[in-house]
Amino acid sequence: MAADKQLAALAVAMLALLAAGPAAGLVHYQSYLPAGCYVGWFPFVGKLMCQTLNPNPSPKHAPTGNGLSPDYYNSTCPDAEYLVWEAVKNAIDENRGIGAGLIRLFFHDAFVRGADASVLLNTTASNNLDTERTAPPNANSLRGFEVIDAAKAAVEDACPGVVSCADIVAFAARDASKILSYGSIDFDVPAGRLDGLQSFANETNTLPGPGSSLAQLKTMFAAQGLSTADMVTLSGAHTIGTSRCRFFTGRLSAMDPAYAKNLSAACNGTGSPDNRVDQDPFTPNDLDNQYYKNIDKFVLFASDAALNSTETIGQVTANANSPTKWQSDFAAAMVKMGKIGVKTRASPGTDGVEIRKVCWKVNSNY
Ligand code: HEM
Ligand SMILES: *[C@@H]1O[C@H](CO)[C@@H](O)[C@H](O)[C@H]1NC(C)=O
Ligand SMILES: *[C@@H]1O[C@H](CO)[C@@H](O)[C@H](O)[C@H]1NC(C)=O
Ligand SMILES: *[C@@H]1O[C@H](CO)[C@@H](O)[C@H](O)[C@H]1NC(C)=O
Ligand SMILES: *[C@@H]1O[C@H](CO)[C@@H](O)[C@H](O)[C@H]1NC(C)=O
Ligand SMILES: *[C@@H]1O[C@H](CO)[C@@H](O)[C@H](O)[C@H]1NC(C)=O
Ligand SMILES: *[C@@H]1O[C@H](CO)[C@@H](O)[C@H](O)[C@H]1NC(C)=O
């Protein structure tokens, strides 16, 4: 990385640190992370700030799924899942990349405050504007919000005030998985999530970054109640969608030379860090097991290549050799991820819940 790029990364990290404020307030929420520590997102500075990462966090919320059930809307809004499917199908027919966006949206929702649609807010009850959407892992990156909004409008029309945005995000990720895998990945989504009232940019540091080591990936998934095997399974989502050049041009020399040359051309060397490339150079639009065949010379991130480790290579090879094994593992891991930290009628949590009327704002701002 050129010196000016290091400085730029440093400046961004310092800004993030300042924005995070004093180590008070919400730091208890994921106390295994020091305030302002974004693991694997900012080279150099990130490493310094994350030195005290607790390697054995106890999960804040075990993904038990208490309060969720399949066919949750069967009597209160029988067309809910069909209407979401329709919105997702229409969007993917226009742009297959949106399917990748919807799957990632679900992941970024679940890992921050649980699967409570906090990722969708761009304004909150306390008029907090620095919501999750503005944070480094999400800004200029997450996509598919308008699909969630369209799905929500359709279900509100059919049955007002019944279907939560958090459930819509989970249904949409399932539908995108089914479409992008040509029907090979299909699963029931237990539902009954309620929507949270809060969203804070600084809580997104529970999301692992592209520079994360295997130890850090394991820790950050464990903190959510997910296993190392779940982590390996879910990382397979990097067989679709795109990434900005900034996250991988520093490690081109570790890749297949011909591939690195192509990437370098697409990224203008390191000159255009916001250019985007496909994550999977072979079948970029298909949710398949190609990711595992790409490890480790045809994957973009250090966090992807980290799966070429003694502890994980067995599962990587098994997934590379058996598409059906990975497909069923992926379905199960998506269901499990959707159970993280859910707020339900049985267990509403302490920060307030509702069923939003519009997915990007709380009802008190409606
Ligand atoms: C294991 C740790 C993970 C790391 C470090 C990571 C990191 C990243 C990064 C840096 C990007 C590129 C973002 C950009 O350039 O704007 C990305 C894209 C993506 N990630 Fe991950 N990710 C991880 C796990 C996951 C999981 C669990 C899923 C879903 C199950 C997922 C789904 C995606 C998808 C679909 C994209 C492409 C999004 C698009 O094209 O809009 N990732 N990830
Ligand atoms: C996170 O941000 C919120 C609101 O901006 C603030 O009240 C809180 O103190 C911050 N937490 C940390 C750990 O910096
Ligand atoms: C809806 O599903 C629940 C279980 O998920 C079941 O108990 C209930 O009888 C179903 N209702 C209808 C109308 O099918
Ligand atoms: C919030 O996001 C939605 C898309 O989900 C967008 O339509 C809306 O204009 C945004 N509002 C603000 C205040 O940024
Ligand atoms: C590099 O790009 C060329 C031209 O698009 C393509 O034919 C080739 O397959 C690519 N090679 C790799 C390894 O990605
Ligand atoms: C390529 O990168 C250089 C900086 O290294 C920049 O000045 C130039 O505008 C970039 N060219 C394109 C086409 O993006
Ligand atoms: C993967 O890890 C093994 C064992 O550490 C190493 O020898 C190899 O070079 C790495 N890369 C590939 C492509 O196997």
Side-chain angles (χ1 to χ4, degrees):
M1 207 194 280
D4 59 330
K5 292 294 174 321
Q6 290 185 21
L7 273 177
L10 185 86
V12 175
M14 294 314 285
L15 279 175
L17 181 58
L18 286 175
L26 296 169
V27 76
H28 68 275
Y29 187 75
Q30 287 289 358
S31 55
Y32 74 103
L33 291 167
C37 152
Y38 277 86
V39 182
W41 288 96
F42 303 110
F44 313 114
V45 173
K47 275 183 191 142
L48 281 175
M49 294 192 328
C50 299
Q51 265 170 358
T52 56
L53 180 70
N54 173 354
N56 293 308
S58 45
K60 176 85 182 159
H61 319 273
T64 60
N66 286 345
L68 303 182
S69 56
D71 281 330
Y72 184 80
Y73 297 107
N74 58 3
S75 56
T76 53
C77 194
D79 288 340
E81 294 192 43
Y82 175 73
L83 292 169
V84 175
W85 162 266
E86 205 171 40
V88 171
K89 178 84 172 72
N90 288 341
I92 294 180
D93 281 349
E94 241 170 76
N95 175 2
R96 230 168 144 76
I98 291 294
L102 290 167
I103 291 169
R104 188 169 187 238
L105 203 54
F106 175 59
F107 162 48
H108 283 211
D109 186 30
F111 264 53
V112 185
R113 299 201 144 242
D116 71 340
S118 55
V119 73
L120 303 177
L121 294 173
N122 52 13
T123 168
T124 69
S126 52
N127 287 318
N128 172 36
L129 294 178
D130 57 339
T131 61
E132 292 168 32
R133 284 174 69 161
T134 68
N138 293 338
N140 304 315
S141 184
L142 288 184
R143 50 178 172 164
F145 292 103
E146 65 294 333
V147 183
I148 302 297
D149 291 341
K152 177 62 169 173
V155 296
E156 283 300 293
D157 211 35
C159 11
V162 170
V163 182
S164 70
C165 296
D167 281 343
I168 292 174
V169 169
F171 293 146
R174 180 270 311 276
D175 297 338
S177 301
K178 181 171 180 179
I179 296 167
L180 295 187
S181 69
Y182 304 97
S184 299
I185 297 173
D186 193 11
F187 50 95
D188 287 334
V189 173
R193 298 168 188 79
L194 296 173
D195 298 326
L197 301 184
Q198 308 288 358
S199 177
F200 300 103
N202 56 18
E203 291 183 353
T204 63
N205 64 352
T206 56
L207 290 161
S212 300
S213 65
L214 179 64
Q216 291 169 335
L217 294 171
K218 286 172 58 178
T219 293
M220 298 184 86
F221 276 70
Q224 305 283 351
L226 299 188
S227 67
T228 302
D230 295 328
M231 186 274 290
V232 173
T233 299
L234 290 165
S235 294
H238 287 176
T239 184
I240 49 169
T242 64
S243 166
R244 279 169 290 170
C245 291
R246 62 175 66 255
F247 295 127
F248 60 81
T249 47
R251 55 179 301 279
L252 293 178
S253 62
M255 301 180 193
D256 170 82
Y259 181 43
K261 201 172 159 205
N262 285 4
L263 290 174
S264 182
C267 296
N268 180 24
T270 54
S272 303
D274 289 323
N275 282 4
R276 288 189 166 275
V277 305
D278 289 333
Q279 300 207 90
D280 172 3
F282 302 110
T283 55
N285 293 313
D286 303 345
L287 188 62
D288 57 14
N289 66 337
Q290 182 65 42
Y291 172 81
Y292 300 96
K293 304 178 191 169
N294 293 350
I295 289 173
D296 68 342
K297 295 296 180 191
F298 293 90
V299 286
L300 295 177
F301 308 140
S303 59
D304 297 317
L307 303 188
N308 180 41
S309 306
T310 321
E311 191 181 347
T312 48
I313 194 67
Q315 193 184 348
V316 167
T317 308
N319 289 350
N321 291 335
S322 171
T324 51
K325 174 201 179 288
W326 174 71
Q327 285 156 357
S328 55
D329 286 355
F330 186 77
M334 289 286 277
V335 170
K336 189 170 171 188
M337 186 158 69
K339 294 177 175 175
I340 296 170
V342 291
K343 290 128 185 155
T344 64
R345 300 211 188 274
S347 170
T350 52
D351 292 332
V353 282
E354 62 186 10
I355 289 178
R356 280 179 217 150
K357 297 183 203 301
V358 165
C359 287
W360 51 268
K361 57 183 175 183
V362 295
N363 290 345
S364 60
N365 284 342
Y366 181 67

